[in-house]
Amino acid sequence: MVDKLGIGTAALAGLYGAPGSERPAPDRAIARRTLLAAVERGVRFVDTAPAYGEAESLVGAVLGDREDCVIATKVAVPPGGWEELSPEQARVHICASAQASLRALRRERLDLLQVHNADEELVRRGAVAEGLAELREAGLVAMTGASVYGEADALAVIASPAFEAVQVAFSALDRRPERRTLPAAAAEGTAVIARSLLLRGVLSPAGRGLDGPFAPLAAAAAAVRRAFDVSWEELPGAAVAFVLARASVSRALIGPRDESELATLLDQAERFKDAAATLELPPHDLPDWLLDPSRWPQETSVGG
């Protein structure tokens, strides 16, 4: 199972967590030890982005010289948005972002470069595909992909020959990718990277106390807990095991803030892997906005 796991670095560099339970980034020394502990446990995939504060430089300082580690990063979102850039400006921006990431990550080549928060329209713009192709031709990028939010956006990435991987939110609560995204990716041979396995901590003890507009999330998390027949403290590991058990998922990202959280997630995921492979989860009717943290009310949002 550890071969499919990756470390997401958003929680190591900024505020992160369930609504009302957001926690700041850990001390840099703690973050360094967490990454090293993950590698010692056999995790060899790390996902980061320019948008995650100092995460790229952290990963570069700790793992930049580790040839056995695959490091994925993303193209920085232009300050004024992609729509403000001409095709030539878009290609220049993609190249400049990649060069900055190479320096921060202390690498000569990016293992995987993803367009951050891509949408259907952007995916179909020729300038983005051309910019990524130029980087591959120059030997600066090995693989290309895109991180997305919506189903239509994911399907556009999968249909485009410019991308080899798509990153989507997927969890025991957010199973929308099972409808069309996962089957389409399997058919096209596109790698699927799953993020938000705990839905920003909702599938953890923090989800138990959600109320107000988030009360339906608490109820849905409780239903998952009952289906697994685990405690709230065991729920995170069970939720990770659920995603890892899906054959169509190539990589599954977890976001531990320290060594203790890392060890707990890895140990619990291993313990619940057999149950996760055959588990039948109850259906839920959660609205799309509750499953998308970028659409949570601003006063309780944990960020984009």
Side-chain angles (χ1 to χ4, degrees), residues 152-184:
D153 305 325
L155 294 175
V157 172
I158 293 167
S160 172
F163 302 97
E164 299 156 275
V166 62
Q167 184 179 136
V168 299
F170 182 45
S171 70
L173 286 181
D174 185 0
R175 304 199 301 277
R176 293 174 298 174
E178 292 177 339
R179 294 183 305 212
R180 298 179 63 193
T181 299
L182 297 185

